[in-house]
Every structure is written in C-alpha cells, then in structure tokens.
Amino acid sequence: MNQATIPAAKPIVGEEERAAVDAVLASGMIAQGPQVAAFEEEFATALVAGRTCVAVSSGTSGLHLGLLAAGIGPGDEVIVPSFTFAATANSVALTGATPVFADIEPDTFCLAPAAVEAAITDRTKAVIPVHLYGHPADMDALVALAAERDLAIFEDAAQAHGAIWQGAPVGTFGTFAMFSLYPTKNMTSGEGGMVSAGTEEVARNLRLLRNQGMERQYANEIIGFNARMTDIHAAIGRVQLTKLPAWTATRQANAAFLDAHLEGVVTPTVREGATHVYHQYTIRLAGATGTERDSIADRLRERGVGCGVYYPIPNHHLDSLNRYAPDHELPVTEQAAAEVLSLPVHPSLSEADLETITTAVNDLAKAGA
C-alpha cells in the first residue's frame, strides 16, 4: 500500500488531546481518578440520556464484566449474531455461558428478531443485539420479544456512539450496553470501553468487577479483575467526546455523497426512525463470492482506496467458536460474509478522496471486476 492510499480508517488525535494527557501527567494522578469520574458523567449526559456509566479498560472487558454483573454464567444461553467481531461471543463464553448464534437481517446486518425467537430455549437468559457498523438493531421488536419471553437485553454498541432508534439513543434499551473506545472507533480514549448500566445494582457490580472486587481499597467484596481505565485514557476520551457530534455529521455527509454517487453496488440501508452513525460504510457486491469480493478489494487498494471486510468469517465458523454451532445454518450471514466491503467514510476524507473512492468503485463495478 503506497503513501497516497486513502486509509480505510483514521484515528484523529490533535493538540487538545495531547494537552489533556500532558495535564494528567503533570498532575501525578495517572491511575483511575478524577478524569475517569468526569468522563463517565459526561459520556452519560452526552450519549445515553444520563444512565450511569462505568469506564473500563476495553470494549471487550466492558461486555464481559457487564455479563457477569447481570448474573450470566454456566448453564445459561445468550443469543448473539455470528456476523460481528468475535468479542461478542467470546465474552459470553468467558462467563461459562453458551453463545447461541442467530441470523441477521439482510439490509441492516443486525440480528433478525424472527431468528432470535427461533433460537430461544428454556436455557436462554438474554439477547445481545449488535448495532453493527453504526446502524441500530430493531430494538422495538427485540425488546418486545425479550419482554414476552422474560429475557434480558444486553446491547453491543461498540460501533454506534450516538446512533438513535425511534428517538432513543442506543445504549438505553438494555440491562447494560457496551461502547468501545478503540482507536478506530467513532471516538477513542486510546483504548478503553464505557458501559451504561440500566440499574444501580448492575453499575455497582461493574465497579466491583473492574477493580479487584472492591470499591474501597483492600475491602474486597467479590472476586474481580483489573479492568480499570486510567486518567490518561479518560482525558483523551473527554476531549474526543466534545468532537463527536461534528465528526458524526461529517461521517453522515460523507455517506450521503457515497450514496449519491456509487453505482453498481448495494449501498447501506437506513431504516425509518434510525440514525446511522457510519462507523463503517459497508456496501454489498450482490451475488459475489468471497473470492470475487476480495479481488475487488485488492484492486481498489491498487488504485489507492483503502477498504476492509467486516467480517469475512462468521463467528460460527471460527475455530475458537464453532463448537457452539456444529449444525447451524445461517444463510443471510453466509451471504453477507461473501458480499460486504467497507469503504472509507471517516471525517478526514476530502472531497477529492470521496471522488477517488466513487470513481474507483464505479469503474470496477462496471467492469465486473
């Protein structure tokens, strides 16, 4: 990949973030402290309608600790999509529970409520919808189904900071919700995660679990982990949070340009009542095999357009997870894994970049390459 290549994703860290880190280093308070507490409060106000938030060391640790805080453990089943990053199912497995894979909707790539209903057994305790690529899952249908069948909802909002479903922000529907703050997400803390809690009991359990089982030093109440966020990371996150609205608007504008100019591919769906925040701008190459899609991706890179495939191998086919789904048939997931291709949509794109992307994609689509 040459230096002129438009990157598929690009973390944005500026002077404000550097100054915030310098201030923390100068203070001598580097571990979890006042910056973390302030970040939790600001994130809660900005993104999850004031729900209590608990900062942790990564999105994955947030999902894992959230499951434990909600009482998930051995003997339980939790329904998850196979078409997502493996951390979702990994977190379930790490509690000793069983991840049960369900199929997705072909337009949004999120869990299909009908597939979730078909996967419920007498051991099912919860459902984890993933708001994939920044588009909300169908929370009306999933929440109604969960209420009818006495199941909990846990949201994987790793890619969906600021996304909205029918007027309500993602991260406010479930017992807990996890947001990732990895460098390539829509906002970052360098590394980290944020968990919004639906009850104070879950919030307190999260605080215990992230800090060796204690809220007061040396007064350990339960067996816990070291999954704290540092004040250095929180200081970065606080600055990034102030920039998120403008970055989201730019992502949406970039997506609108791509929608208007791409030809010969299936552009992303935005459901009525949904606000898509475009962590990824994911097209479908209808009818393509995985090999054909990969060939187009390679040719785009040759033309200076970075791109990615999220995700080429469904979770139920991974060596690490296929024991949980030996006989699963997920046809929509299989098709998506062969056809999807994510194009740059990040806020650093110039108008010339957008034109380069659309020209390259359209040329290859017309050529049938």
Side-chain angles (χ1 to χ4, degrees):
M1 188 178 291
N2 60 54
Q3 290 187 343
T5 295
I6 301 166
K10 184 178 181 181
I12 304 174
V13 178
E15 290 304 319
E16 298 94 336
E17 287 88 346
R18 295 184 184 94
V21 170
D22 288 345
V24 171
L25 293 175
S27 76
M29 188 65 176
I30 295 173
Q32 179 179 289
Q35 290 289 330
V36 170
F39 186 30
E40 290 171 336
E41 291 182 6
E42 291 162 3
F43 193 100
T45 299
L47 293 180
V48 291
R51 288 203 350 169
T52 301
C53 285
V54 178
V56 291
S57 57
S58 70
T60 302
S61 65
L63 200 55
H64 181 208
L65 299 191
L67 288 158
L68 293 172
I72 298 299
D76 297 335
E77 292 180 352
V78 179
I79 298 172
V80 298
S82 179
F83 191 65
T84 186
F85 187 54
T88 310
N90 284 349
S91 298
V92 175
L94 286 168
T95 71
T98 299
V100 175
F101 297 108
D103 218 343
I104 57 172
E105 298 180 315
D107 54 353
T108 67
F109 305 106
C110 297
L111 268 178
V116 171
E117 185 169 21
I120 295 172
T121 73
D122 58 4
R123 294 173 58 196
T124 306
K125 294 296 172 61
V127 180
I128 303 181
V130 178
H131 304 302
L132 198 68
Y133 305 142
H135 189 290
D138 185 348
M139 297 310 297
D140 288 353
L142 291 170
V143 168
L145 176 61
E148 178 186 338
R149 303 298 291 270
D150 194 26
L151 304 177
I153 292 281
F154 308 141
E155 293 176 79
D156 184 334
Q159 303 178 357
H161 311 68
I164 295 170
W165 177 257
Q166 306 299 338
V170 303
T172 62
F173 292 93
T175 303
F176 76 86
M178 176 277 291
F179 295 83
S180 172
L181 297 167
Y182 184 74
T184 56
K185 295 299 190 288
N186 290 27
M187 62 168 286
T188 185
S189 59
E191 179 61 284
M194 190 69 76
V195 185
S196 79
T199 68
E200 285 307 311
E201 179 185 7
V202 169
R204 184 171 189 273
N205 288 343
L206 283 162
R207 294 189 192 102
L208 290 171
L209 286 163
R210 76 175 173 183
N211 190 35
Q212 306 286 7
M214 60 184 181
E215 283 196 297
R216 293 183 297 108
Q217 191 172 26
Y218 304 129
N220 304 71
E221 300 176 43
I222 62 173
I223 303 298
F225 302 83
N226 178 358
R228 299 183 297 269
M229 178 181 285
T230 69
D231 263 24
I232 294 172
H233 290 95
I236 296 170
R238 293 182 69 192
V239 173
Q240 293 260 311
L241 186 61
T242 67
K243 299 178 180 181
L244 181 65
W247 285 341
T248 299
T250 302
R251 285 177 179 273
Q252 290 165 337
N254 291 344
F257 182 98
L258 296 172
D259 286 345
H261 292 86
L262 288 174
E263 301 171 358
V265 298
V266 180
T267 56
T269 293
V270 181
R271 288 273 185 90
E272 184 177 355
T275 298
H276 197 325
V277 295
Y278 294 101
H279 171 61
Q280 301 290 348
Y281 183 92
T282 301
I283 61 174
R284 294 188 78 133
L285 306 174
T289 65
T291 300
E292 291 167 341
R293 183 268 321 282
D294 292 346
S295 175
I296 289 177
D298 289 341
R299 295 189 64 181
L300 281 173
R301 296 181 187 111
E302 290 170 2
R303 294 185 58 157
V305 177
C307 53
V309 178
Y310 311 105
Y311 297 89
I313 305 174
N315 285 188
H316 68 291
H317 289 321
L318 294 173
D319 290 344
S320 57
L321 292 167
N322 61 16
R323 67 183 181 276
Y324 296 107
D327 302 314
H328 272 40
E329 293 185 5
L330 305 175
V332 183
T333 292
E334 304 278 0
Q335 185 178 5
E339 294 181 354
V340 296
L341 184 63
S342 295
L343 304 175
V345 74
H346 52 82
S348 297
L349 297 176
S350 66
E351 186 174 340
D353 290 334
L354 290 166
E355 291 173 352
T356 297
I357 294 164
T358 55
T359 298
V361 172
N362 291 348
D363 286 351
L364 291 172
K366 289 174 186 176

